Every structure is written in structure tokens, then in C-alpha cells.
Amino acid sequence: MIEQFSLSISPEEMQRYYRGEASSVIVLSDKGLRLQFPARLLRSFVGPSGVAGRFEIEYDDQGKLLNLRQIA
């Protein structure tokens, strides 16, 4: 299953994830599905303005995360 979503997280909010105050990110996909994944997966996407853009997440049939990538 592949889902797409938009994400915008400020640098200050990302600090909460780095400090361990929050461990999961919860977003709504374009299809309206609630997706939850570990915040640590966003580390490679963090820039000076935090994390922003369009993303695609892929799960297998058992719900195991296979891939997260930025698409725009």
C-alpha cells in the first residue's frame, strides 16, 4: 500500500522529536487515512525550516513500513 501526504513541521516542533518528547508522527493521507510512523524517519528530511513537502509512504500487507520518501 502506498499513501501520499503533505507535511509541515517547524524546527521548534522537530526539537520535541529529537528530545524524545514525541516519538511518532501522525498525519492524514490524501485519501483520508490516518498514518503513524516513527519520527526518526524524518531526520534525513530536516532542513533549516524544519520538514516540509510532499511525501510518499509504503507499507506491506501486514502494515510494516517499507519506505518513506519525499516526492516534492
Side-chain angles (χ1 to χ4, degrees):
M1 168 175 56
I2 296 175
E3 294 292 331
Q4 294 183 352
F5 59 93
S6 295
L7 189 61
S8 179
I9 301 177
S10 70
E12 295 79 21
E13 190 174 348
M14 280 306 299
Q15 286 297 319
R16 292 183 55 231
Y17 294 112
Y18 279 115
R19 289 191 300 262
E21 296 171 13
S23 60
S24 295
V25 175
I26 299 171
V27 298
L28 282 179
S29 75
D30 293 350
K31 297 176 186 174
L33 295 175
R34 182 178 171 265
L35 306 172
Q36 182 174 349
F37 57 90
R40 64 179 165 73
L41 297 178
L42 294 175
R43 288 184 178 163
S44 63
F45 306 112
V46 177
S49 59
V51 177
R54 298 274 305 150
F55 291 84
E56 185 173 86
I57 194 166
E58 183 177 3
Y59 290 94
D60 67 14
D61 292 337
Q62 288 74 42
K64 180 181 175 186
L65 183 119
L66 299 174
N67 190 29
L68 174 67
R69 66 185 187 104
Q70 191 167 15
I71 55 176

